[in-house]
Amino acid sequence: MTLKFQRANSANDIAELARLASEIWREYYIALITIEQIDYMISKFQSVPAITDQIERQGYEYVLIRHEENDSSVGYMSVREEDRKLFLSKFYIAQAYRGRGYASQAMAFLERLCHERSLSHIWLTVNRHNGSSIAVYEKKGFRTVREQVADIGGGFVMDDYVMEKEIRRD
């Protein structure tokens, strides 16, 4: 199935992003972090006010991933340009849509974006214990460049790998 990538700008788009985040984070991350940390992170980073602030004041672009045929949302991404590289801050596919090749379509979209903007790399952070996502990123050509632990407040930290993929100019 073909996907479309729609830049999120409206209040309705932001509400849809927050709804998706709440659903996906509570389903996926419970195996990696506590429900208390999930709730904290959703409130701090993926609520309507947080997403609005990221778009309006922090330079993030949010992209809804939708089915082209029926316009239903299957996931979302958030990116920001930093030092001629694209930071992939968020990339989530809802459980019902995983394993269908959507990550490949999303990565192709991000690579096209890098080519259009003359960016040299895509980089991201991923929880060190998130083996399935790490495997997907490695399959897509990312490599681990370092580890980082970030204090996010509330007594919580993010214990991550930083991964990066070079965008080739063919």
Side-chain angles (χ1 to χ4, degrees):
M1 184 162 299
T2 305
L3 299 177
K4 66 179 181 178
F5 300 91
Q6 173 193 322
R7 190 168 176 176
N9 291 313
S10 72
N12 286 342
D13 291 343
I14 292 170
E16 176 70 1
L17 289 164
R19 183 197 65 76
L20 281 167
S22 180
E23 171 189 314
I24 294 168
W25 281 53
R26 285 186 171 89
E27 170 269 320
Y28 187 82
Y29 284 103
I30 196 64
L32 298 171
I33 58 179
T34 66
I35 191 66
E36 292 81 11
Q37 184 169 352
I38 292 168
D39 289 342
Y40 175 81
M41 291 179 73
I42 290 170
S43 174
K44 184 169 173 96
F45 301 116
Q46 295 293 266
S47 62
V48 168
I51 294 168
T52 301
D53 184 68
Q54 289 167 35
I55 292 170
E56 292 179 354
R57 292 178 192 76
Q58 298 178 41
Y60 285 92
E61 299 170 61
Y62 273 81
V63 178
L64 283 162
I65 304 170
R66 298 184 182 273
H67 279 285
E68 200 163 76
E69 292 79 9
N70 64 15
D71 205 39
S72 62
S73 296
V74 303
Y76 69 100
M77 299 182 288
S78 173
V79 297
R80 181 171 74 179
E81 288 184 37
E82 296 181 358
D83 301 321
R84 305 306 312 148
K85 296 180 181 183
L86 189 69
F87 173 45
L88 177 57
S89 174
K90 317 260 182 316
F91 178 34
Y92 302 104
I93 303 288
Q95 182 178 29
Y97 301 103
R98 292 182 200 136
R100 298 184 185 187
Y102 295 166
S104 294
Q105 288 186 57
M107 282 297 154
F109 168 81
L110 293 173
E111 289 183 28
R112 284 191 304 273
L113 196 62
C114 287
H115 284 288
E116 290 168 9
R117 297 178 183 187
S118 299
L119 304 177
S120 64
H121 294 78
I122 301 171
W123 72 278
L124 56 88
T125 59
V126 59
N127 182 297
R128 277 199 261 197
H129 305 289
N130 190 348
S132 59
S133 291
I134 292 167
V136 168
Y137 292 131
E138 287 174 340
K139 184 178 176 185
K140 302 297 176 206
F142 285 80
R143 62 183 181 80
T144 300
V145 294
R146 69 179 183 277
E147 300 175 6
Q148 75 179 24
V149 177
D151 184 337
I152 59 170
F156 301 111
V157 297
M158 292 193 311
D159 186 10
D160 294 332
Y161 289 128
V162 176
M163 299 183 80
E164 188 173 81
K165 177 180 182 170
E166 183 176 357
I167 303 301
R168 304 212 182 271
R169 305 252 178 253
D170 296 334

